[in-house]
Amino acid sequence: MLDYTRDREAAWQLLNDYVKSETLLRHSITVEAVMRHFASLYQEDPDLWGNIGLLHDIDFEMYPDQHCRKTREILTPKGLPEEFIRAIESHGYGLVHDVEPRENVENVLFTVDELTGLVSATALLRPSKSLHDLTTKSVKKKWKQKSFAENVNREVIEAGANRLGKDLNEIIEETINGMRAIASEIGLEGNVEAGK
């Protein structure tokens, strides 16, 4: 049986069985990269955390009204362990599910899922359209503009930062750092020279 918990290629193929939207696939690899980054900060397994991030929205496109509630049905037959499935379910806590994040991996996913959207939107507004010259300060400035990226649930991000016991600025900075690793893949490589 394939190891979807640590085999990135297997997890990617599984995701593509359920997700066709380029936007959602881009979001999935963004969250994967940030989860890998945070795993290294927490001295955890980046492959495991990355695949949780990669597969976190596996049920969203086909079952938008049952998001996080179809995850178990999809992943259990694939032999994925309870902890893996639970981590994915918990990112919908208080929104679409009552599975509360407890472990670090769960709380990080809960926090960065929304935050990656705000970071991406902020980077796209810059003249450079790049993550490489994006600062935490720029993201915080846009954070305060409630009409900007209004679909991003800032309350969830703040609740996640509190759950992690981390300052919001630190979470934003590390999210940007995680996203920089895949900037070209997600269209945010930009032209840094244009931003100067």
Side-chain angles (χ1 to χ4, degrees):
M1 183 175 271
L2 293 170
D3 180 8
Y4 296 104
T5 62
R6 289 179 176 81
D7 181 338
R8 202 271 178 185
E9 189 55 37
W12 176 249
Q13 290 305 319
L14 178 60
L15 180 67
N16 279 266
D17 288 344
Y18 289 86
V19 176
K20 306 302 179 196
S21 159
E22 286 298 320
T23 302
L24 192 52
L25 289 170
R26 190 166 40 252
H27 171 67
S28 298
I29 63 171
T30 301
V31 174
E32 172 199 8
V34 175
M35 290 297 289
R36 285 180 173 280
H37 179 73
F38 272 89
S40 66
L41 298 177
Y42 280 94
Q43 299 179 331
E44 295 285 350
D45 183 343
D47 293 329
L48 176 65
W49 282 41
N51 280 5
I52 287 170
L54 187 63
L55 294 175
H56 82 285
D57 277 345
I58 194 164
D59 65 356
F60 186 74
E61 188 173 303
M62 287 188 174
Y63 310 102
D65 296 335
Q66 298 176 69
H67 181 40
C68 293
R69 295 190 296 275
K70 279 286 192 176
T71 301
R72 183 170 298 276
E73 189 179 307
I74 293 168
L75 298 181
T76 299
K78 303 294 182 188
L80 284 144
E82 169 63 24
E83 309 80 52
F84 191 101
I85 295 170
R86 189 188 190 288
I88 291 176
E89 288 176 327
S90 72
H91 88 275
Y93 178 64
L95 302 169
V96 295
H97 215 296
D98 61 358
V99 178
E100 184 173 0
R102 292 189 305 234
E103 305 297 327
N104 284 333
V105 65
E106 297 170 344
N107 283 312
V108 169
L109 179 60
F110 177 75
T111 308
V112 304
D113 180 32
E114 292 284 323
L115 182 54
T116 57
L118 183 66
V119 171
S120 295
T122 306
L124 282 170
L125 267 189
R126 299 178 66 73
S128 65
K129 298 196 181 331
S130 173
L131 287 165
H132 297 296
D133 62 348
L134 182 65
T135 64
T136 299
K137 184 178 177 183
S138 295
V139 176
K140 282 299 287 286
K141 189 174 178 182
K142 291 299 182 187
W143 173 284
K144 293 173 186 168
Q145 297 175 17
K146 299 301 179 195
S147 61
F148 177 78
E150 59 190 345
N151 291 334
V152 171
N153 191 324
R154 289 154 170 84
E155 290 176 12
V156 166
I157 300 168
E158 286 178 326
N162 289 335
R163 287 178 163 281
L164 289 165
K166 302 268 186 200
D167 179 73
L168 183 58
N169 289 335
E170 181 185 350
I171 300 276
I172 293 170
E173 181 178 351
E174 295 302 344
T175 297
I176 294 169
N177 288 338
M179 290 172 67
R180 282 179 178 150
I182 57 150
S184 61
E185 289 178 64
I186 59 174
L188 293 174
E189 185 75 30
N191 176 3
V192 177
E193 292 302 314
K196 292 183 179 174

